[in-house]
């Protein structure tokens, strides 16, 4: 069942923003754009994008390795993530599973819980070979949310994912980039990899009151240390 978002007020105004270090948050907790407008549900709402025109742009399910071949880089066996820990920005949040609905869109984390992240449960798990997708809201109509300060991360910063198997792998940030939603590089963000990588994804940019959506996505690229 798709999750409904309450990212904007009924009059079309932007979600609440929280000042941070003299700046104003330009991100909202509306539905996060995963791939080419992948997040949302069947009900029109703020930030609810349409299904992708190219289904290959969606996050891909994890595929078993071919016989006689193996991962090229460091990796761990599959295990569900339990908690995301990003000390630099004080993130300590539990996970929920995300799935792609019948309309081809990846469901968003529940908007009522501001300290919650979601992962694409049919894709690679954090630490497993491939690209693991983790999404979170930046804010809601009334308050900041789990990824409010995701743009504070820089190359070389680290974060951890506590997993159900008891392991807590460490990931190193390679880059932090913003992309216009109309030119989102789906293959670069979601393409399969020979080593264990993670993408942290949220909203960014200005709030467009005409379409009730935000103009960009912020993506953190990271690899298993």
């Amino acid at each position: 069942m798709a999750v409904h978002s309450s990212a904007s007020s009924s009059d079309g105004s932007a979600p609440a923003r929280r000042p941070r270090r003299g700046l104003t948050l330009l991100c909202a907790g509306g539905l996060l754009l995963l791939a080419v407008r992948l997040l949302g549900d069947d009900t029109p709402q703020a930030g609810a994008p349409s299904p992708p025109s190219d289904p290959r742009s969606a996050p891909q399910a994890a595929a078993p390795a071919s016989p006689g071949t193996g991962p090229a880089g460091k990796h761990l066996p599959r295990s569900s993530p339990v908690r995301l820990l990003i000390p630099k920005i004080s993130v300590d949040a539990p996970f929920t599973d995300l799935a792609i609905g019948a309309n081809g869109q990846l469901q968003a984390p529940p908007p009522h819980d501001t300290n919650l992240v979601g992962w694409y449960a049919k894709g690679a798990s954090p630490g497993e070979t491939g690209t693991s997708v983790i999404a979170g809201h930046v804010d809601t109509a009334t308050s900041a949310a789990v990824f409010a300060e995701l743009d504070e991360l820089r190359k070389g910063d680290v974060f951890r994912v506590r997993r159900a198997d008891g392991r807590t792998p460490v990931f190193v940030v390679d880059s932090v980039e913003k992309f216009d939603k109309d030119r989102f590089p789906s293959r670069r963000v979601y393409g399969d990899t020979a080593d264990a990588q993670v993408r942290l994804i949220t909203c960014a940019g200005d709030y467009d009151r005409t379409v009730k959506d935000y103009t960009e996505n912020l993506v953190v690229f990271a690899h298993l240390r």
Side-chain angles (χ1 to χ4, degrees):
M1 180 177 67
V3 177
H4 289 248
S5 170
S6 57
S8 67
S9 61
S10 58
D11 62 0
S13 60
R17 294 174 179 174
R18 184 185 70 176
R20 183 189 66 213
R21 300 179 187 175
L23 301 176
T24 300
L25 286 177
L26 296 178
C27 306
L31 297 179
L32 308 170
L33 188 80
L34 296 184
V36 181
R37 298 181 176 177
L38 266 181
L39 220 66
D41 59 27
D42 294 322
T43 306
Q45 55 192 280
S50 58
S53 57
D54 182 358
R56 293 173 297 176
S57 66
Q60 299 298 305
S66 301
T69 65
K74 183 177 180 180
H75 67 285
L76 297 173
R78 184 172 181 79
S79 180
S80 297
V82 175
R83 206 159 190 94
L84 176 64
L85 307 167
I86 313 178
K88 181 176 180 178
I89 57 174
S90 301
V91 168
D92 183 349
F95 278 87
T96 188
D97 292 359
L98 302 180
I100 294 177
N103 60 356
Q105 298 175 337
L106 190 68
Q107 298 169 343
H112 62 273
D113 189 339
T114 59
N115 191 48
L116 182 69
V117 294
W119 74 294
Y120 178 50
K122 288 188 176 180
S125 61
E128 187 179 12
T129 300
T131 301
S132 180
V133 177
I134 300 174
H137 293 297
V138 180
D139 54 29
T140 67
T142 58
S143 67
V146 63
F147 279 169
E149 296 185 342
L150 194 65
D151 62 353
E152 294 288 318
L153 296 183
R154 295 292 181 268
K155 181 177 180 179
D157 287 339
V158 299
F159 61 89
R160 295 170 172 80
V161 177
R162 189 175 301 154
R163 309 188 338 158
D165 63 3
R167 292 183 172 94
T168 305
V170 177
F171 297 89
V172 181
V173 173
D174 295 313
S175 65
V176 180
E177 304 179 47
K178 291 181 181 179
F179 303 107
D180 187 280
K181 290 187 177 183
D182 292 331
R183 294 186 293 275
F184 191 85
S186 302
R187 295 186 187 280
R188 180 184 170 202
V189 174
Y190 300 112
D192 198 17
T193 59
D195 56 349
Q197 298 191 20
V198 165
R199 307 289 185 256
L200 306 178
I201 305 177
T202 194
C203 294
D206 296 318
Y207 184 76
D208 186 336
R209 289 177 171 82
T210 302
V211 298
K212 299 181 181 180
D213 196 6
Y214 284 74
T215 57
E216 298 175 337
N217 283 119
L218 184 142
V219 181
V220 173
F221 296 79
H223 68 275
L224 178 65
R225 187 168 73 181

